[in-house]
Amino acid sequence: MEEFVVYILYSEKFNKNYTGYTSKLIERFKSHNILEIKGYTLKFRPWTVVHVEFFNSKSEALKREKYLKTGIGREFIKNLISQL
């Protein structure tokens, strides 16, 4: 059974965060920090994983990712980052 992860990355250097989901966290993290040659996360390297949540289905992970991108979710992320 495949496991899905919702993750929050934080770039301290640029004070930016990024929320995404994947079934392969380590490979995705490498992509954000090393392998990508274009895209949003390329501009704000280096990234640190500050939060992960595990789900049994892709639909659950997508629902949580979408929630974290709402106003309430962004407030959760802001509070999380302020505690670093």
Side-chain angles (χ1 to χ4, degrees):
M1 180 183 221
E2 198 167 31
E3 187 172 61
F4 293 88
V5 179
V6 172
Y7 60 92
I8 300 171
L9 303 178
Y10 179 64
S11 171
E12 186 175 7
K13 182 177 179 180
F14 296 99
N15 193 32
K16 297 281 185 185
N17 65 72
Y18 178 85
T19 303
Y21 86 94
T22 185
S23 61
K24 298 176 180 162
L25 183 61
I26 302 301
E27 289 87 352
R28 191 69 182 122
F29 182 61
K30 266 197 248 178
S31 175
H32 286 304
N33 264 332
I34 299 167
L35 303 175
E36 270 183 2
I37 57 173
K38 63 179 181 177
Y40 176 82
T41 59
L42 173 69
K43 298 180 264 186
F44 303 110
R45 289 177 180 165
W47 293 99
T48 303
V49 177
V50 294
H51 185 74
V52 294
E53 296 178 15
F54 297 90
F55 298 90
N56 292 321
S57 73
K58 183 178 179 178
S59 62
E60 288 176 305
L62 284 169
K63 185 177 177 182
R64 180 63 173 164
E65 179 193 23
K66 188 174 181 177
Y67 172 80
L68 289 171
K69 292 179 177 180
T70 66
I72 298 168
R74 286 192 303 273
E75 202 54 40
F76 168 81
I77 293 168
K78 182 179 170 184
N79 290 335
L80 181 74
I81 291 170
S82 73
Q83 296 173 12
L84 295 178

